[in-house]
Amino acid sequence: MSHRVILVVLDGLNHAVGQHAMGHLHALCEAGRGHYHSLDCELPAMSRPLYECLLTGDRPVDSGVVHNQVVRRSTGQSLFDLAAAQGRATAAAAYHWISELYLAAPFDRTRHRFHEDPETAIHAGLFYWQDHYPDDHLFSDAEALRRRHDPDFLLVHSMNIDDTGHRHGGDSPQYRNAARHADIALADYLPGWLAAGYQVMVTADHGMNADRSHSGTLAEERRVPLWTFGEAFAQRPVERLEQTRLCGTLATLLGLDHAKPAQAELLAEPEVPA
């Protein structure tokens, strides 16, 4: 198994809104071209700790990235590290905390916004620092990186849903509409990514509560959506999904040698030659 992979992280999107507001993603699922799941994120339900969880498979209590003010390079082995070490091209269009975790900390807006270096874990990157940086700009940034660098693994990470939730709360029309706007923006690019042969996973780091925050155990903070698109993913429900196993699952899809736990049930059964 060796595929190219795109991971889309819709920061702050909870399962309840993901289940009803993402019309294009669910249209692909209804057409048999994807599948929708949900899972509980690790704790604390905060951004930087869960970026690290998604990209290394390490729980926050193990990684040491236990809140958003832990500003340092990751000490774990990320999906970027694995892919780059095994000759695969990597790229990221993402919030600047991704740069701090896997390239250099602290982030310098002038030196680190645009990144190209084949000797680093992320070979090509475009990083932003304003939480309201428009999602349609972010997806365009990701597509520009894809066309220019043809990465085997691309991270696409948007912040508008989370930003809107912090300003208006998770039970607000503004929050729900931010999710709808992200879905519309994705509709411009997702079909092309699939046509180019990418396997695409769309998920969230954490959710959002009505208090305009997140970090604890409420279902609206912890339960997040997960969509899978591409022929290498199984088209069936999967019980007891674990956020710590998504990194290993994507590493398996990429055909990488790794020792990370994976969610094998998410993957299609390999065809046996006749």
Side-chain angles (χ1 to χ4, degrees):
M1 180 181 292
S2 181
H3 299 276
R4 296 190 299 170
V5 170
I6 294 176
L7 172 62
V8 179
V9 178
L10 301 175
D11 204 295
L13 178 62
N14 65 34
H15 163 62
V17 173
Q19 195 173 30
H20 72 74
M22 313 298 283
H24 180 70
L25 297 188
H26 285 295
L28 290 173
C29 293
E30 287 189 3
R33 301 172 196 171
H35 203 87
Y36 180 73
H37 310 270
S38 64
L39 67 147
D40 286 341
C41 73
E42 292 296 318
L43 293 173
M46 302 177 73
S47 292
R48 197 188 300 251
L50 297 181
Y51 304 162
E52 177 78 337
C53 180
L54 286 166
L55 290 163
T56 68
D58 296 333
R59 298 177 300 173
V61 293
D62 297 324
S63 72
V65 183
V66 292
H67 55 71
N68 289 338
Q69 285 69 51
V70 178
V71 181
R72 61 162 171 79
R73 282 284 308 275
S74 167
T75 59
Q77 183 187 52
S78 74
L79 197 51
F80 295 116
D81 294 312
L82 279 170
Q86 296 179 46
R88 309 300 292 278
T90 63
Y95 195 57
H96 69 287
W97 290 356
I98 296 295
S99 174
E100 289 182 329
L101 282 167
Y102 307 111
L103 289 174
F107 181 80
D108 183 288
R109 298 176 183 182
T110 302
R111 294 188 298 120
H112 299 152
R113 173 161 167 73
F114 301 103
H115 173 82
E116 288 188 27
D117 187 346
E119 300 302 315
T120 55
I122 302 175
H123 295 158
L126 203 163
F127 302 101
Y128 62 96
W129 57 90
Q130 294 287 1
D131 292 18
H132 59 269
Y133 186 73
D135 282 350
D136 56 358
H137 288 43
L138 182 276
F139 292 125
S140 177
D141 292 342
E143 178 64 2
L145 287 173
R146 187 187 73 83
R147 293 188 182 195
R148 179 171 179 175
H149 298 281
D150 195 31
D152 298 297
F153 173 58
L154 171 62
L155 171 67
V156 186
H157 168 235
S158 76
M159 283 291 288
N160 281 186
I161 299 169
D162 182 76
D163 179 58
T164 303
H166 283 302
R167 287 186 285 112
H168 299 283
D171 186 19
S172 68
Q174 293 91 340
Y175 177 76
R176 292 187 288 272
N177 283 331
R180 295 179 180 112
H181 292 155
D183 177 73
I184 292 168
L186 264 177
D188 286 332
Y189 301 102
L190 184 52
W193 297 343
L194 296 173
Y198 281 92
Q199 310 302 302
V200 181
M201 177 181 286
V202 182
T203 190
D205 47 353
H206 55 74
M208 181 67 62
N209 63 35
D211 297 336
R212 308 180 187 183
S213 65
H214 50 82
S215 70
T217 63
L218 292 174
E220 55 265 38
E221 299 174 65
R222 197 171 188 189
R223 197 73 178 171
V224 297
L226 175 74
W227 291 266
T228 55
F229 303 100
E231 72 278 359
F233 285 110
Q235 296 295 312
R236 60 175 179 265
V238 178
E239 296 182 1
R240 294 184 296 277
L241 283 170
E242 297 180 34
Q243 196 173 44
T244 54
R245 294 180 175 270
L246 298 183
C247 175
T249 303
L250 297 182
T252 299
L253 272 182
L254 283 159
L256 303 176
D257 291 329
H258 69 93
K260 294 185 180 293
Q263 198 89 46
E265 308 96 304
L266 280 173
L267 303 179
E269 298 287 342
E271 292 186 8
V272 178

